[in-house]
Amino acid sequence: FDPINGKVGLKNLFTKFREEISFVFEIGLPPKPITCIKKILIYTREDAGQRVIPTENLYQIQDMITSMFPMSEITVIKSLKRLLFREQVELFSRHDLLINPHGSNSLNQIFMPIGAIVFESMPSCIEISATHRTGISEALSHHFRYIPSLECYNRSLDKVCQYTRHNKMPKIPGKGWSSFSASKGHQRCPTVSFNIERLKYELGQRYLQSCAH
């Protein structure tokens, strides 16, 4: 990691890691930026038991994507726990667009094609979610976008969000950033429904079309 230029250091670190994984498992990880949407991956997080995309919202997402990218392939996966590490690498390396709720599963974007699109939703303010993933996204030139969840918004986090917008820690007596950890309710919501209109808008801003078959 380059302490002088963090972004350059992260880019070199993730690039090297991708190269090592590609060599060890003999998997070709796409090195060039994508120019069109060919394969779309939706991970529902049903194996996690919380922050799961509900069935009705999943159908809405699929219908919207089909109308916008009629030539693209959509893969829906409900569990990653049953996949070996190699299988997860292969799965994510084959997809140009990832849609999933907030979780450690988003780290798999490191194996996606350079310039991939990642949409994540979480029942709290944008800063809580986005700061977890933007380091990888920026280093690999991915397009990371936070999509507001339709339920379980935790109003108790509003003060934290307000402080983080100004790059400040919350000044609450006896409290610290750790007090707003994963143990808080904003991470324990049973479902996370994507705002379809916002998702459609963000997809439209990417200026990418379905790949011609």
Side-chain angles (χ1 to χ4, degrees):
F1 180 75
D2 184 348
I4 299 178
N5 193 331
K7 290 185 178 180
V8 172
L10 280 177
K11 183 175 182 179
N12 292 338
L13 176 65
F14 291 138
T15 299
K16 182 64 176 178
F17 180 65
R18 280 170 54 94
E19 292 174 351
E20 291 292 334
I21 293 299
S22 178
F23 174 76
V24 171
F25 292 106
E26 298 182 343
I27 299 174
L29 298 180
K32 296 182 179 181
I34 61 173
T35 57
C36 60
I37 299 296
K38 185 176 182 180
K39 295 186 177 182
I40 299 168
L41 177 63
I42 303 175
Y43 171 50
T44 65
R45 272 184 59 91
E46 288 187 27
D47 54 340
Q50 59 186 11
R51 301 196 306 280
V52 178
I53 298 178
T55 302
E56 182 179 355
N57 189 238
L58 173 61
Y59 290 156
Q60 293 174 335
I61 294 173
Q62 290 177 290
D63 289 343
M64 183 269 296
I65 291 177
T66 300
S67 65
M68 294 187 69
F69 304 99
M71 301 298 290
S72 299
E73 299 177 22
I74 301 176
T75 300
V76 177
I77 185 166
K78 299 180 179 181
S79 175
L80 290 174
K81 292 181 178 180
R82 299 177 182 178
L83 299 181
L84 299 174
F85 178 66
R86 177 195 178 96
E87 293 174 325
Q88 293 190 37
V89 173
E90 292 178 330
L91 174 68
F92 282 83
S93 69
R94 296 195 303 266
H95 291 85
D96 312 301
L97 170 62
L98 171 65
I99 298 175
N100 64 174
H102 175 84
S104 58
N105 43 274
S106 293
L107 299 176
N108 278 318
Q109 66 173 284
I110 193 173
F111 306 120
M112 296 179 72
I114 300 298
I117 301 173
V118 180
F119 289 115
E120 182 178 285
S121 186
M122 180 176 174
S124 67
C125 63
I126 182 173
E127 290 86 353
I128 298 295
S129 179
T131 53
H132 285 62
R133 311 294 175 232
T134 50
I136 295 179
S137 297
E138 291 181 4
L140 298 176
S141 300
H142 289 349
H143 303 284
F144 179 95
R145 287 295 182 273
Y146 167 84
I147 306 297
S149 170
L150 296 179
E151 72 273 78
C152 231
Y153 187 87
N154 193 324
R155 305 301 301 182
S156 66
L157 292 175
D158 283 355
K159 191 167 186 178
V160 181
C161 296
Q162 185 61 38
Y163 275 110
T164 55
R165 288 189 184 105
H166 296 90
N167 296 318
K168 296 179 181 180
M169 293 290 285
K171 298 181 182 300
I172 304 176
K175 301 287 185 178
W177 185 254
S178 61
S179 65
F180 298 94
S181 66
S183 63
K184 291 298 179 180
H186 76 285
Q187 295 243 26
R188 291 186 172 179
C189 295
T191 60
V192 169
S193 299
F194 279 74
N195 184 319
I196 299 300
E197 290 303 315
R198 178 64 179 274
L199 182 60
K200 182 177 181 179
Y201 170 79
E202 291 292 347
L203 278 171
Q205 299 303 303
R206 299 299 95 209
Y207 306 111
L208 295 173
Q209 303 296 323
S210 297
C211 296
H213 287 268

